[in-house]
Amino acid sequence: MTTSSALRPIRVWDLPTRVFHVLLITAVSGLIITGEIGGSLMKFHYWFGYGVLSLLFFRVIWGIWGGHWSRFVNFLPTPSKVRAYLADSRQGVQRVSIGHNPLGALSVFAMLVVLSLQVFSGLMSDDEISNAGPWASLVSSTWVSFATNFHTEIGKVILISILVLHLVSVLYYKYFKHEDLLTPMVNGDKHLPSDTPGSRDSTTSRLFALGVWLGCAYAVYELVNLA
């Protein structure tokens, strides 16, 4: 068993990942609020959607070339990992994960998929009153109808459910399993064994991340203006 004296702060979440997390929370909150209020706020709803799409593109790229623990390959929730984690939980075995635990990883991938579906369906939606997505004129009326129904009904409910589950999970881990998931996402570090690999988080990598996001934002601009 590792003693506390053998632990030291290890950079787990690099700054680009942490900024992504904050911006995504802000943009998704803005999406939900403006979508519910509607009216003159719908123009901001679209802008929040474009912002979310640029962040999703960034996270996919950063999941390949980002810091060690931000890379998808280092937290893939394989069936064997999920089964082992659940078995440990049932037996009361406390295993503190370095990055995302298998259930948290499932939540991350589910969030990325649902947000992608929600954003792309929004691009094709049309309320037949005053708001139409930039792709509504590029696809058939059948697709527009399906996308609108998914975006305003099904996808919205699934997204809000995942967000609530995510929040409840963070609180559950903090107060019942005594594992603070929030603080490391704020300051980037966890106290871990000294031989734990840390995430790259240099000035160069941060500037690279900014360039990646700007490229993603430009890609979104081009996609939005296809029509």
Side-chain angles (χ1 to χ4, degrees):
M1 185 174 180
T2 305
T3 61
S4 59
S5 60
L7 305 180
R8 69 180 181 88
I10 299 291
R11 179 54 46 92
V12 173
W13 303 121
D14 53 51
L15 183 62
T17 299
R18 286 178 278 149
V19 172
F20 160 83
H21 197 257
V22 172
L23 291 179
L24 188 66
I25 291 173
T26 302
V28 171
S29 299
L31 266 180
I32 294 174
I33 293 171
T34 55
E36 288 298 313
I37 296 175
S40 61
L41 292 183
M42 285 304 295
K43 62 181 179 181
F44 298 107
H45 184 76
Y46 286 110
W47 280 105
F48 279 123
Y50 303 151
V52 168
L53 186 56
S54 72
L55 291 170
L56 291 175
F57 285 165
F58 168 82
R59 188 63 185 92
V60 170
I61 295 173
W62 207 242
I64 300 172
W65 288 298
H68 184 83
W69 298 108
S70 296
R71 298 177 191 172
F72 297 140
V73 69
N74 291 321
F75 64 90
L76 281 175
T78 62
S80 60
K81 289 180 181 178
V82 173
R83 286 196 299 269
Y85 185 82
L86 292 175
D88 287 344
S89 297
R90 286 194 296 267
Q91 296 169 13
V93 177
Q94 182 75 8
R95 295 187 184 277
V96 177
S97 301
I98 299 174
H100 295 296
N101 64 52
L103 293 184
L106 281 175
S107 169
V108 169
F109 284 107
M111 181 74 72
L112 293 177
V113 170
V114 171
L115 277 174
S116 297
L117 291 173
Q118 192 68 353
V119 171
F120 279 107
S121 63
L123 292 175
M124 296 181 281
S125 295
D126 186 350
D127 65 4
E128 299 182 346
I129 300 175
S130 58
N131 298 295
W135 287 3
S137 62
L138 300 178
V139 298
S140 69
S141 58
T142 301
W143 270 104
V144 170
S145 178
F146 174 80
T148 303
N149 182 63
F150 180 89
H151 187 78
T152 58
E153 303 293 337
I154 303 171
K156 181 176 73 174
V157 172
I158 295 175
L159 175 59
I160 293 175
S161 298
I162 290 179
L163 290 173
V164 171
L165 180 61
H166 189 72
L167 176 60
V168 170
S169 297
V170 170
L171 295 175
Y172 171 77
Y173 273 88
K174 181 175 178 63
Y175 293 107
F176 290 93
K177 302 196 74 170
H178 307 292
E179 183 178 350
D180 186 0
L181 303 177
L182 185 58
T183 300
M185 188 55 75
V186 174
N187 62 29
D189 296 338
K190 278 188 177 183
H191 282 81
L192 299 163
S194 58
D195 60 349
T196 303
S199 288
R200 180 186 69 247
D201 196 17
S202 62
T203 299
T204 300
S205 68
R206 293 175 179 182
L207 290 175
F208 173 65
L210 177 60
V212 169
W213 178 75
L214 289 174
C216 292
Y218 179 74
V220 171
Y221 172 81
E222 291 292 332
L223 287 174
V224 167
N225 288 283
L226 281 177

